[in-house]
Amino acid sequence: MLPLQIVVIGGGAAGFFGAIACAKANPDAKVTLLEASRQPLAKVLISGGGRCNVTHACFYPEELVQNYPRGAKALRGAFTRFQPKDTVAWFAAVGVYLNIETDGRMFPVTNNSETIVECLIKNAATFGVKLCISTPVTSVKQTSKDQGFDILLKSGETMKCDRLLLATGSSLVGYKIVQELGHQIEPPVPSLFTFNIVDQKLRELAGISVNSAQLRLSVGGKSQLQQTGPLLITHWGLSGPAVLKLSAWGARILHESRYQATLLINWLPHLQQDQVRQQILAIKDEWAKKAIALHRGVDLPHRLWQYIIARAGVTTEDRWAGISHKTLNQLVQELTQGQYLISGKGAFKEEFVTCGGVKLQEVNFKTMESRLVPGLYFAGEILDIDGVTGGFNFQSAWTTGYLAGVGMANNS
């Protein structure tokens, strides 16, 4: 019997992991990895600020899937077969150890993404994967039922293979190939981005952060989604984990609204609105003769407090004794339900995540094989799967890549 000819298109995290898993599971298979650019694993190299957030220390599939705005149901079973615990063990077995940070993110102990890139390239070579860089693919055709694929390269050459793994990320060429082979694509739109807020006074606070704020997204007057977490004020508006998570869950809603929406911010999420009111009244009694701008009595950065009271109509000269009932109500409102207009999206430089891709019902998540085209497999961001920030997108790449690799290796 001739050895299986396996081709993986896409030299990112999912493609490499799939190629290695396949070559390791079936040493007789001939595995070729095609990467269009000169630099494989480019996204891995720049991820996590050059540190590479490999995965997240969440070892229970039912909890892990809660970090995926799209793909949670499909990944539930997949994570019982390969999850963060397996990722940690896989890298440890080849001499790469990971640290857990206080927020659960896991990075290589070297704090250098090159460690991960070198590890994957070295292991691909060790298991006999043939890496072809600068080898863009223009189209793929199924030769005939169960007979494999013809891959047309930009150079004009044609490659043949028995099984094919598409791990092309959010590449338009990848989507085109998928559709030519008969699959449907959920339209791709950005996920994980920051919010542009047109408010010069807010932007002047760039660099100020709070450990916890509750954000609620309102589109067309309807409150849609909410997230609580750290918040960072930037030169263009707002960022930080709470914003990034909200942008991921609201990716499609925000795209449909052309990134025009209202953001409601509760700066004191650990308190009920009535508790905030009582706290403000207590401050008013205790510091009646003190300037409101200088005596805040709530756990917020001083400059942020001054910004918030100005929004409530309080001047720098106003004293607590003179604050009217109406102004006090406005201050409570600003602290617990301040409204900020989102006027667009910014970039999140450490992640480039897209929601959308191959429809998940068309894929068998036990093996990652197409339910429509025998011998065709998928892994990584080409699928309609995306996670919030924190290593979850890499974990779905490792999981789907591994399952696809093992699935392709099977001789039957």
Side-chain angles (χ1 to χ4, degrees), residues 47-48 52-58 64 67-68 79 84 87 103-107 192 348 350-351 353 386-399:
S47 69
C52 188
N53 185 182
V54 176
T55 187
H56 201 96
C58 182
L64 187 57
N67 295 285
Y68 294 86
F79 284 147
T87 301
D103 60 2
R105 292 180 302 161
M106 299 191 75
F107 294 86
L192 285 187
F348 179 44
E350 294 183 2
E351 299 277 354
V353 175
D386 62 287
V388 299
T389 184
F392 300 104
N393 286 295
F394 270 130
Q395 184 55 52
S396 66
W398 309 132
T399 293

PDB file of all heavy atoms in Angstrom, residues 47-48 52-58 64 67-68 79 84 87 103-107 192 348 350-351 353 386-399:
ATOM      1  N   SER A  47       2.219  37.391  18.899  1.00  0.00           N
ATOM      2  CA  SER A  47       1.098  37.311  19.839  1.00  0.00           C
ATOM      3  C   SER A  47       1.537  37.571  21.279  1.00  0.00           C
ATOM      4  O   SER A  47       2.695  37.350  21.640  1.00  0.00           O
ATOM      5  CB  SER A  47       0.443  35.933  19.753  1.00  0.00           C
ATOM      6  OG  SER A  47       1.310  34.948  20.260  1.00  0.00           O
ATOM      7  N   GLY A  48       0.579  38.039  22.074  1.00  0.00           N
ATOM      8  CA  GLY A  48       0.863  38.277  23.490  1.00  0.00           C
ATOM      9  C   GLY A  48       2.000  39.242  23.718  1.00  0.00           C
ATOM     10  O   GLY A  48       2.774  39.094  24.662  1.00  0.00           O
ATOM     11  N   CYS A  52       3.622  35.237  23.577  1.00  0.00           N
ATOM     12  CA  CYS A  52       2.777  34.113  23.168  1.00  0.00           C
ATOM     13  C   CYS A  52       1.993  33.513  24.331  1.00  0.00           C
ATOM     14  O   CYS A  52       2.488  32.697  25.097  1.00  0.00           O
ATOM     15  CB  CYS A  52       3.563  32.998  22.466  1.00  0.00           C
ATOM     16  SG  CYS A  52       2.460  31.743  21.779  1.00  0.00           S
ATOM     17  N   ASN A  53       0.727  33.928  24.408  1.00  0.00           N
ATOM     18  CA  ASN A  53      -0.205  33.401  25.410  1.00  0.00           C
ATOM     19  C   ASN A  53      -0.712  32.044  24.910  1.00  0.00           C
ATOM     20  O   ASN A  53      -1.727  31.955  24.248  1.00  0.00           O
ATOM     21  CB  ASN A  53      -1.346  34.405  25.586  1.00  0.00           C
ATOM     22  CG  ASN A  53      -2.330  34.045  26.672  1.00  0.00           C
ATOM     23  OD1 ASN A  53      -3.296  34.765  26.869  1.00  0.00           O
ATOM     24  ND2 ASN A  53      -2.115  32.944  27.380  1.00  0.00           N
ATOM     25  N   VAL A  54       0.039  30.978  25.251  1.00  0.00           N
ATOM     26  CA  VAL A  54      -0.151  29.652  24.655  1.00  0.00           C
ATOM     27  C   VAL A  54      -1.535  29.069  24.938  1.00  0.00           C
ATOM     28  O   VAL A  54      -2.180  28.503  24.063  1.00  0.00           O
ATOM     29  CB  VAL A  54       0.943  28.687  25.148  1.00  0.00           C
ATOM     30  CG1 VAL A  54       0.716  27.271  24.620  1.00  0.00           C
ATOM     31  CG2 VAL A  54       2.317  29.189  24.722  1.00  0.00           C
ATOM     32  N   THR A  55      -1.990  29.197  26.172  1.00  0.00           N
ATOM     33  CA  THR A  55      -3.294  28.657  26.543  1.00  0.00           C
ATOM     34  C   THR A  55      -3.734  29.303  27.846  1.00  0.00           C
ATOM     35  O   THR A  55      -3.133  30.292  28.289  1.00  0.00           O
ATOM     36  CB  THR A  55      -3.254  27.107  26.658  1.00  0.00           C
ATOM     37  OG1 THR A  55      -4.590  26.618  26.870  1.00  0.00           O
ATOM     38  CG2 THR A  55      -2.351  26.645  27.794  1.00  0.00           C
ATOM     39  N   HIS A  56      -4.785  28.760  28.449  1.00  0.00           N
ATOM     40  CA  HIS A  56      -5.329  29.297  29.692  1.00  0.00           C
ATOM     41  C   HIS A  56      -5.501  28.155  30.693  1.00  0.00           C
ATOM     42  O   HIS A  56      -5.901  27.054  30.313  1.00  0.00           O
ATOM     43  CB  HIS A  56      -6.678  29.970  29.435  1.00  0.00           C
ATOM     44  CG  HIS A  56      -7.073  30.945  30.493  1.00  0.00           C
ATOM     45  ND1 HIS A  56      -6.853  32.303  30.384  1.00  0.00           N
ATOM     46  CD2 HIS A  56      -7.673  30.771  31.694  1.00  0.00           C
ATOM     47  CE1 HIS A  56      -7.311  32.918  31.465  1.00  0.00           C
ATOM     48  NE2 HIS A  56      -7.809  32.007  32.280  1.00  0.00           N
ATOM     49  N   ALA A  57      -5.204  28.438  31.953  1.00  0.00           N
ATOM     50  CA  ALA A  57      -5.289  27.398  32.991  1.00  0.00           C
ATOM     51  C   ALA A  57      -6.739  27.160  33.395  1.00  0.00           C
ATOM     52  O   ALA A  57      -7.156  27.430  34.515  1.00  0.00           O
ATOM     53  CB  ALA A  57      -4.449  27.798  34.203  1.00  0.00           C
ATOM     54  N   CYS A  58      -7.515  26.656  32.452  1.00  0.00           N
ATOM     55  CA  CYS A  58      -8.908  26.291  32.692  1.00  0.00           C
ATOM     56  C   CYS A  58      -9.048  24.846  32.216  1.00  0.00           C
ATOM     57  O   CYS A  58      -9.032  24.585  31.011  1.00  0.00           O
ATOM     58  CB  CYS A  58      -9.846  27.216  31.916  1.00  0.00           C
ATOM     59  SG  CYS A  58     -11.594  26.871  32.195  1.00  0.00           S
ATOM     60  N   LEU A  64     -14.388  25.845  30.245  1.00  0.00           N
ATOM     61  CA  LEU A  64     -13.559  26.349  29.152  1.00  0.00           C
ATOM     62  C   LEU A  64     -14.405  26.890  28.008  1.00  0.00           C
ATOM     63  O   LEU A  64     -14.124  27.966  27.470  1.00  0.00           O
ATOM     64  CB  LEU A  64     -12.647  25.209  28.661  1.00  0.00           C
ATOM     65  CG  LEU A  64     -11.575  25.540  27.626  1.00  0.00           C
ATOM     66  CD1 LEU A  64     -10.641  26.628  28.132  1.00  0.00           C
ATOM     67  CD2 LEU A  64     -10.793  24.276  27.270  1.00  0.00           C
ATOM     68  N   ASN A  67     -15.797  30.581  27.316  1.00  0.00           N
ATOM     69  CA  ASN A  67     -14.949  31.670  26.816  1.00  0.00           C
ATOM     70  C   ASN A  67     -14.968  31.780  25.293  1.00  0.00           C
ATOM     71  O   ASN A  67     -14.133  32.473  24.713  1.00  0.00           O
ATOM     72  CB  ASN A  67     -13.512  31.457  27.309  1.00  0.00           C
ATOM     73  CG  ASN A  67     -13.410  31.556  28.815  1.00  0.00           C
ATOM     74  OD1 ASN A  67     -13.469  32.649  29.364  1.00  0.00           O
ATOM     75  ND2 ASN A  67     -13.303  30.417  29.486  1.00  0.00           N
ATOM     76  N   TYR A  68     -15.932  31.102  24.665  1.00  0.00           N
ATOM     77  CA  TYR A  68     -16.028  31.115  23.207  1.00  0.00           C
ATOM     78  C   TYR A  68     -17.389  31.659  22.769  1.00  0.00           C
ATOM     79  O   TYR A  68     -18.390  30.951  22.835  1.00  0.00           O
ATOM     80  CB  TYR A  68     -15.802  29.703  22.642  1.00  0.00           C
ATOM     81  CG  TYR A  68     -14.392  29.220  22.881  1.00  0.00           C
ATOM     82  CD1 TYR A  68     -14.063  28.583  24.080  1.00  0.00           C
ATOM     83  CD2 TYR A  68     -13.387  29.442  21.952  1.00  0.00           C
ATOM     84  CE1 TYR A  68     -12.765  28.172  24.327  1.00  0.00           C
ATOM     85  CE2 TYR A  68     -12.090  29.033  22.197  1.00  0.00           C
ATOM     86  CZ  TYR A  68     -11.780  28.402  23.387  1.00  0.00           C
ATOM     87  OH  TYR A  68     -10.493  28.003  23.635  1.00  0.00           O
ATOM     88  N   PHE A  79     -12.930  19.338  23.512  1.00  0.00           N
ATOM     89  CA  PHE A  79     -12.079  19.605  24.672  1.00  0.00           C
ATOM     90  C   PHE A  79     -11.980  18.407  25.622  1.00  0.00           C
ATOM     91  O   PHE A  79     -11.091  18.366  26.468  1.00  0.00           O
ATOM     92  CB  PHE A  79     -12.567  20.841  25.427  1.00  0.00           C
ATOM     93  CG  PHE A  79     -12.228  22.149  24.767  1.00  0.00           C
ATOM     94  CD1 PHE A  79     -13.080  23.243  24.869  1.00  0.00           C
ATOM     95  CD2 PHE A  79     -11.054  22.293  24.041  1.00  0.00           C
ATOM     96  CE1 PHE A  79     -12.769  24.453  24.271  1.00  0.00           C
ATOM     97  CE2 PHE A  79     -10.725  23.498  23.430  1.00  0.00           C
ATOM     98  CZ  PHE A  79     -11.590  24.584  23.543  1.00  0.00           C
ATOM     99  N   PRO A  84      -6.507  22.294  27.550  1.00  0.00           N
ATOM    100  CA  PRO A  84      -5.285  22.944  28.024  1.00  0.00           C
ATOM    101  C   PRO A  84      -4.327  22.035  28.778  1.00  0.00           C
ATOM    102  O   PRO A  84      -3.095  22.162  28.639  1.00  0.00           O
ATOM    103  CB  PRO A  84      -5.820  24.072  28.914  1.00  0.00           C
ATOM    104  CG  PRO A  84      -7.114  24.442  28.262  1.00  0.00           C
ATOM    105  CD  PRO A  84      -7.697  23.143  27.802  1.00  0.00           C
ATOM    106  N   THR A  87      -2.345  20.376  26.236  1.00  0.00           N
ATOM    107  CA  THR A  87      -1.420  21.328  25.612  1.00  0.00           C
ATOM    108  C   THR A  87      -0.173  21.504  26.474  1.00  0.00           C
ATOM    109  O   THR A  87       0.955  21.456  25.984  1.00  0.00           O
ATOM    110  CB  THR A  87      -2.109  22.697  25.411  1.00  0.00           C
ATOM    111  OG1 THR A  87      -3.267  22.523  24.596  1.00  0.00           O
ATOM    112  CG2 THR A  87      -1.178  23.688  24.746  1.00  0.00           C
ATOM    113  N   ASP A 103      -3.950  35.730  36.396  1.00  0.00           N
ATOM    114  CA  ASP A 103      -5.254  35.758  35.725  1.00  0.00           C
ATOM    115  C   ASP A 103      -5.538  34.484  34.940  1.00  0.00           C
ATOM    116  O   ASP A 103      -6.546  34.395  34.242  1.00  0.00           O
ATOM    117  CB  ASP A 103      -5.361  36.980  34.812  1.00  0.00           C
ATOM    118  CG  ASP A 103      -4.290  36.999  33.721  1.00  0.00           C
ATOM    119  OD1 ASP A 103      -3.492  36.037  33.647  1.00  0.00           O
ATOM    120  OD2 ASP A 103      -4.250  37.973  32.950  1.00  0.00           O
ATOM    121  N   GLY A 104      -4.643  33.482  35.046  1.00  0.00           N
ATOM    122  CA  GLY A 104      -4.871  32.202  34.385  1.00  0.00           C
ATOM    123  C   GLY A 104      -4.199  32.054  33.037  1.00  0.00           C
ATOM    124  O   GLY A 104      -4.117  30.947  32.490  1.00  0.00           O
ATOM    125  N   ARG A 105      -3.699  33.143  32.476  1.00  0.00           N
ATOM    126  CA  ARG A 105      -3.011  33.037  31.183  1.00  0.00           C
ATOM    127  C   ARG A 105      -1.714  32.247  31.353  1.00  0.00           C
ATOM    128  O   ARG A 105      -1.055  32.339  32.388  1.00  0.00           O
ATOM    129  CB  ARG A 105      -2.702  34.423  30.620  1.00  0.00           C
ATOM    130  CG  ARG A 105      -3.938  35.217  30.214  1.00  0.00           C
ATOM    131  CD  ARG A 105      -3.555  36.581  29.654  1.00  0.00           C
ATOM    132  NE  ARG A 105      -2.792  37.355  30.627  1.00  0.00           N
ATOM    133  CZ  ARG A 105      -2.026  38.405  30.319  1.00  0.00           C
ATOM    134  NH1 ARG A 105      -1.897  38.789  29.062  1.00  0.00           N
ATOM    135  NH2 ARG A 105      -1.378  39.060  31.264  1.00  0.00           N
ATOM    136  N   MET A 106      -1.345  31.501  30.319  1.00  0.00           N
ATOM    137  CA  MET A 106      -0.141  30.679  30.390  1.00  0.00           C
ATOM    138  C   MET A 106       0.824  31.057  29.261  1.00  0.00           C
ATOM    139  O   MET A 106       0.446  31.095  28.085  1.00  0.00           O
ATOM    140  CB  MET A 106      -0.498  29.196  30.302  1.00  0.00           C
ATOM    141  CG  MET A 106      -1.399  28.738  31.446  1.00  0.00           C
ATOM    142  SD  MET A 106      -1.593  26.947  31.543  1.00  0.00           S
ATOM    143  CE  MET A 106       0.009  26.482  32.216  1.00  0.00           C
ATOM    144  N   PHE A 107       2.064  31.335  29.664  1.00  0.00           N
ATOM    145  CA  PHE A 107       3.122  31.732  28.737  1.00  0.00           C
ATOM    146  C   PHE A 107       4.319  30.795  28.902  1.00  0.00           C
ATOM    147  O   PHE A 107       4.488  30.186  29.961  1.00  0.00           O
ATOM    148  CB  PHE A 107       3.593  33.162  29.043  1.00  0.00           C
ATOM    149  CG  PHE A 107       2.560  34.224  28.798  1.00  0.00           C
ATOM    150  CD1 PHE A 107       1.641  34.560  29.782  1.00  0.00           C
ATOM    151  CD2 PHE A 107       2.501  34.891  27.588  1.00  0.00           C
ATOM    152  CE1 PHE A 107       0.691  35.544  29.571  1.00  0.00           C
ATOM    153  CE2 PHE A 107       1.547  35.880  27.360  1.00  0.00           C
ATOM    154  CZ  PHE A 107       0.645  36.213  28.352  1.00  0.00           C
ATOM    155  N   LEU A 192     -12.663  40.899  19.030  1.00  0.00           N
ATOM    156  CA  LEU A 192     -11.577  41.399  19.897  1.00  0.00           C
ATOM    157  C   LEU A 192     -11.030  42.733  19.391  1.00  0.00           C
ATOM    158  O   LEU A 192     -10.009  42.792  18.719  1.00  0.00           O
ATOM    159  CB  LEU A 192     -10.430  40.379  20.005  1.00  0.00           C
ATOM    160  CG  LEU A 192     -10.651  39.151  20.870  1.00  0.00           C
ATOM    161  CD1 LEU A 192      -9.365  38.353  20.982  1.00  0.00           C
ATOM    162  CD2 LEU A 192     -11.148  39.512  22.252  1.00  0.00           C
ATOM    163  N   PHE A 348      -6.749  45.797  18.220  1.00  0.00           N
ATOM    164  CA  PHE A 348      -6.103  45.203  19.393  1.00  0.00           C
ATOM    165  C   PHE A 348      -4.860  44.523  18.855  1.00  0.00           C
ATOM    166  O   PHE A 348      -4.920  43.464  18.252  1.00  0.00           O
ATOM    167  CB  PHE A 348      -7.029  44.217  20.096  1.00  0.00           C
ATOM    168  CG  PHE A 348      -6.397  43.563  21.310  1.00  0.00           C
ATOM    169  CD1 PHE A 348      -5.677  44.317  22.219  1.00  0.00           C
ATOM    170  CD2 PHE A 348      -6.510  42.209  21.527  1.00  0.00           C
ATOM    171  CE1 PHE A 348      -5.086  43.731  23.334  1.00  0.00           C
ATOM    172  CE2 PHE A 348      -5.930  41.608  22.637  1.00  0.00           C
ATOM    173  CZ  PHE A 348      -5.225  42.372  23.533  1.00  0.00           C
ATOM    174  N   GLU A 350      -2.304  42.890  19.836  1.00  0.00           N
ATOM    175  CA  GLU A 350      -1.735  41.596  20.214  1.00  0.00           C
ATOM    176  C   GLU A 350      -2.541  40.423  19.677  1.00  0.00           C
ATOM    177  O   GLU A 350      -2.091  39.298  19.709  1.00  0.00           O
ATOM    178  CB  GLU A 350      -1.631  41.507  21.743  1.00  0.00           C
ATOM    179  CG  GLU A 350      -0.628  42.496  22.312  1.00  0.00           C
ATOM    180  CD  GLU A 350      -0.476  42.361  23.812  1.00  0.00           C
ATOM    181  OE1 GLU A 350      -1.114  41.476  24.389  1.00  0.00           O
ATOM    182  OE2 GLU A 350       0.283  43.145  24.402  1.00  0.00           O
ATOM    183  N   GLU A 351      -3.744  40.681  19.191  1.00  0.00           N
ATOM    184  CA  GLU A 351      -4.597  39.603  18.673  1.00  0.00           C
ATOM    185  C   GLU A 351      -5.221  40.071  17.360  1.00  0.00           C
ATOM    186  O   GLU A 351      -5.556  41.224  17.191  1.00  0.00           O
ATOM    187  CB  GLU A 351      -5.728  39.278  19.668  1.00  0.00           C
ATOM    188  CG  GLU A 351      -5.250  38.813  21.021  1.00  0.00           C
ATOM    189  CD  GLU A 351      -4.911  37.329  21.049  1.00  0.00           C
ATOM    190  OE1 GLU A 351      -5.151  36.637  20.038  1.00  0.00           O
ATOM    191  OE2 GLU A 351      -4.387  36.878  22.080  1.00  0.00           O
ATOM    192  N   VAL A 353      -8.260  38.563  15.546  1.00  0.00           N
ATOM    193  CA  VAL A 353      -9.257  37.499  15.620  1.00  0.00           C
ATOM    194  C   VAL A 353     -10.477  37.889  14.800  1.00  0.00           C
ATOM    195  O   VAL A 353     -10.923  39.034  14.829  1.00  0.00           O
ATOM    196  CB  VAL A 353      -9.660  37.223  17.087  1.00  0.00           C
ATOM    197  CG1 VAL A 353     -10.780  36.197  17.160  1.00  0.00           C
ATOM    198  CG2 VAL A 353      -8.448  36.731  17.863  1.00  0.00           C
ATOM    199  N   ASP A 386     -14.398  31.505  17.690  1.00  0.00           N
ATOM    200  CA  ASP A 386     -13.469  32.493  18.230  1.00  0.00           C
ATOM    201  C   ASP A 386     -13.664  32.612  19.723  1.00  0.00           C
ATOM    202  O   ASP A 386     -14.764  32.423  20.240  1.00  0.00           O
ATOM    203  CB  ASP A 386     -13.625  33.858  17.544  1.00  0.00           C
ATOM    204  CG  ASP A 386     -14.987  34.478  17.745  1.00  0.00           C
ATOM    205  OD1 ASP A 386     -15.957  33.996  17.143  1.00  0.00           O
ATOM    206  OD2 ASP A 386     -15.085  35.458  18.505  1.00  0.00           O
ATOM    207  N   GLY A 387     -12.569  32.874  20.406  1.00  0.00           N
ATOM    208  CA  GLY A 387     -12.587  32.987  21.858  1.00  0.00           C
ATOM    209  C   GLY A 387     -12.272  34.395  22.310  1.00  0.00           C
ATOM    210  O   GLY A 387     -11.832  35.235  21.524  1.00  0.00           O
ATOM    211  N   VAL A 388     -12.482  34.644  23.587  1.00  0.00           N
ATOM    212  CA  VAL A 388     -12.091  35.927  24.160  1.00  0.00           C
ATOM    213  C   VAL A 388     -10.575  35.912  24.357  1.00  0.00           C
ATOM    214  O   VAL A 388      -9.910  34.901  24.154  1.00  0.00           O
ATOM    215  CB  VAL A 388     -12.830  36.197  25.494  1.00  0.00           C
ATOM    216  CG1 VAL A 388     -14.329  36.247  25.268  1.00  0.00           C
ATOM    217  CG2 VAL A 388     -12.484  35.147  26.545  1.00  0.00           C
ATOM    218  N   THR A 389     -10.035  37.054  24.732  1.00  0.00           N
ATOM    219  CA  THR A 389      -8.591  37.142  24.944  1.00  0.00           C
ATOM    220  C   THR A 389      -8.175  36.360  26.195  1.00  0.00           C
ATOM    221  O   THR A 389      -8.945  36.217  27.134  1.00  0.00           O
ATOM    222  CB  THR A 389      -8.169  38.624  25.073  1.00  0.00           C
ATOM    223  OG1 THR A 389      -6.754  38.705  25.190  1.00  0.00           O
ATOM    224  CG2 THR A 389      -8.805  39.296  26.273  1.00  0.00           C
ATOM    225  N   GLY A 390      -6.969  35.817  26.176  1.00  0.00           N
ATOM    226  CA  GLY A 390      -6.461  35.084  27.335  1.00  0.00           C
ATOM    227  C   GLY A 390      -5.890  33.719  27.006  1.00  0.00           C
ATOM    228  O   GLY A 390      -5.678  32.899  27.896  1.00  0.00           O
ATOM    229  N   GLY A 391      -5.635  33.434  25.711  1.00  0.00           N
ATOM    230  CA  GLY A 391      -5.074  32.146  25.308  1.00  0.00           C
ATOM    231  C   GLY A 391      -6.103  31.181  24.750  1.00  0.00           C
ATOM    232  O   GLY A 391      -5.771  30.069  24.340  1.00  0.00           O
ATOM    233  N   PHE A 392      -7.358  31.612  24.701  1.00  0.00           N
ATOM    234  CA  PHE A 392      -8.432  30.711  24.276  1.00  0.00           C
ATOM    235  C   PHE A 392      -8.421  30.458  22.771  1.00  0.00           C
ATOM    236  O   PHE A 392      -8.775  29.364  22.317  1.00  0.00           O
ATOM    237  CB  PHE A 392      -9.783  31.255  24.727  1.00  0.00           C
ATOM    238  CG  PHE A 392      -9.882  31.392  26.224  1.00  0.00           C
ATOM    239  CD1 PHE A 392      -9.782  32.627  26.836  1.00  0.00           C
ATOM    240  CD2 PHE A 392     -10.029  30.260  27.020  1.00  0.00           C
ATOM    241  CE1 PHE A 392      -9.849  32.746  28.220  1.00  0.00           C
ATOM    242  CE2 PHE A 392     -10.098  30.364  28.407  1.00  0.00           C
ATOM    243  CZ  PHE A 392     -10.007  31.609  29.001  1.00  0.00           C
ATOM    244  N   ASN A 393      -8.031  31.446  21.984  1.00  0.00           N
ATOM    245  CA  ASN A 393      -7.976  31.234  20.539  1.00  0.00           C
ATOM    246  C   ASN A 393      -6.849  30.275  20.164  1.00  0.00           C
ATOM    247  O   ASN A 393      -7.022  29.427  19.287  1.00  0.00           O
ATOM    248  CB  ASN A 393      -7.838  32.577  19.814  1.00  0.00           C
ATOM    249  CG  ASN A 393      -9.143  33.348  19.836  1.00  0.00           C
ATOM    250  OD1 ASN A 393     -10.131  32.924  19.260  1.00  0.00           O
ATOM    251  ND2 ASN A 393      -9.156  34.472  20.555  1.00  0.00           N
ATOM    252  N   PHE A 394      -5.719  30.387  20.844  1.00  0.00           N
ATOM    253  CA  PHE A 394      -4.651  29.413  20.598  1.00  0.00           C
ATOM    254  C   PHE A 394      -5.090  28.014  21.015  1.00  0.00           C
ATOM    255  O   PHE A 394      -4.806  27.031  20.335  1.00  0.00           O
ATOM    256  CB  PHE A 394      -3.363  29.800  21.341  1.00  0.00           C
ATOM    257  CG  PHE A 394      -2.452  30.679  20.529  1.00  0.00           C
ATOM    258  CD1 PHE A 394      -1.936  31.846  21.070  1.00  0.00           C
ATOM    259  CD2 PHE A 394      -2.104  30.341  19.240  1.00  0.00           C
ATOM    260  CE1 PHE A 394      -1.101  32.665  20.325  1.00  0.00           C
ATOM    261  CE2 PHE A 394      -1.269  31.158  18.478  1.00  0.00           C
ATOM    262  CZ  PHE A 394      -0.763  32.328  19.027  1.00  0.00           C
ATOM    263  N   GLN A 395      -5.827  27.909  22.130  1.00  0.00           N
ATOM    264  CA  GLN A 395      -6.248  26.580  22.570  1.00  0.00           C
ATOM    265  C   GLN A 395      -7.160  25.919  21.543  1.00  0.00           C
ATOM    266  O   GLN A 395      -7.033  24.722  21.281  1.00  0.00           O
ATOM    267  CB  GLN A 395      -6.935  26.628  23.928  1.00  0.00           C
ATOM    268  CG  GLN A 395      -7.307  25.250  24.465  1.00  0.00           C
ATOM    269  CD  GLN A 395      -6.110  24.305  24.539  1.00  0.00           C
ATOM    270  OE1 GLN A 395      -5.077  24.644  25.112  1.00  0.00           O
ATOM    271  NE2 GLN A 395      -6.237  23.127  23.948  1.00  0.00           N
ATOM    272  N   SER A 396      -8.063  26.680  20.940  1.00  0.00           N
ATOM    273  CA  SER A 396      -8.915  26.065  19.916  1.00  0.00           C
ATOM    274  C   SER A 396      -8.090  25.652  18.702  1.00  0.00           C
ATOM    275  O   SER A 396      -8.404  24.658  18.036  1.00  0.00           O
ATOM    276  CB  SER A 396     -10.068  26.991  19.514  1.00  0.00           C
ATOM    277  OG  SER A 396      -9.601  28.147  18.873  1.00  0.00           O
ATOM    278  N   ALA A 397      -7.003  26.393  18.434  1.00  0.00           N
ATOM    279  CA  ALA A 397      -6.106  26.002  17.330  1.00  0.00           C
ATOM    280  C   ALA A 397      -5.387  24.696  17.659  1.00  0.00           C
ATOM    281  O   ALA A 397      -5.295  23.794  16.815  1.00  0.00           O
ATOM    282  CB  ALA A 397      -5.089  27.113  17.069  1.00  0.00           C
ATOM    283  N   TRP A 398      -4.863  24.577  18.894  1.00  0.00           N
ATOM    284  CA  TRP A 398      -4.164  23.341  19.278  1.00  0.00           C
ATOM    285  C   TRP A 398      -5.139  22.154  19.246  1.00  0.00           C
ATOM    286  O   TRP A 398      -4.810  21.082  18.738  1.00  0.00           O
ATOM    287  CB  TRP A 398      -3.564  23.444  20.683  1.00  0.00           C
ATOM    288  CG  TRP A 398      -2.717  24.630  21.000  1.00  0.00           C
ATOM    289  CD1 TRP A 398      -2.813  25.434  22.105  1.00  0.00           C
ATOM    290  CD2 TRP A 398      -1.623  25.179  20.236  1.00  0.00           C
ATOM    291  NE1 TRP A 398      -1.878  26.441  22.069  1.00  0.00           N
ATOM    292  CE2 TRP A 398      -1.128  26.307  20.944  1.00  0.00           C
ATOM    293  CE3 TRP A 398      -1.025  24.852  19.020  1.00  0.00           C
ATOM    294  CZ2 TRP A 398      -0.062  27.084  20.472  1.00  0.00           C
ATOM    295  CZ3 TRP A 398       0.039  25.630  18.541  1.00  0.00           C
ATOM    296  CH2 TRP A 398       0.504  26.716  19.266  1.00  0.00           C
ATOM    297  N   THR A 399      -6.329  22.357  19.793  1.00  0.00           N
ATOM    298  CA  THR A 399      -7.310  21.266  19.886  1.00  0.00           C
ATOM    299  C   THR A 399      -7.755  20.795  18.502  1.00  0.00           C
ATOM    300  O   THR A 399      -7.698  19.598  18.188  1.00  0.00           O
ATOM    301  CB  THR A 399      -8.529  21.703  20.711  1.00  0.00           C
ATOM    302  OG1 THR A 399      -8.119  21.907  22.068  1.00  0.00           O
ATOM    303  CG2 THR A 399      -9.626  20.646  20.688  1.00  0.00           C
TER     304      THR A 399
END
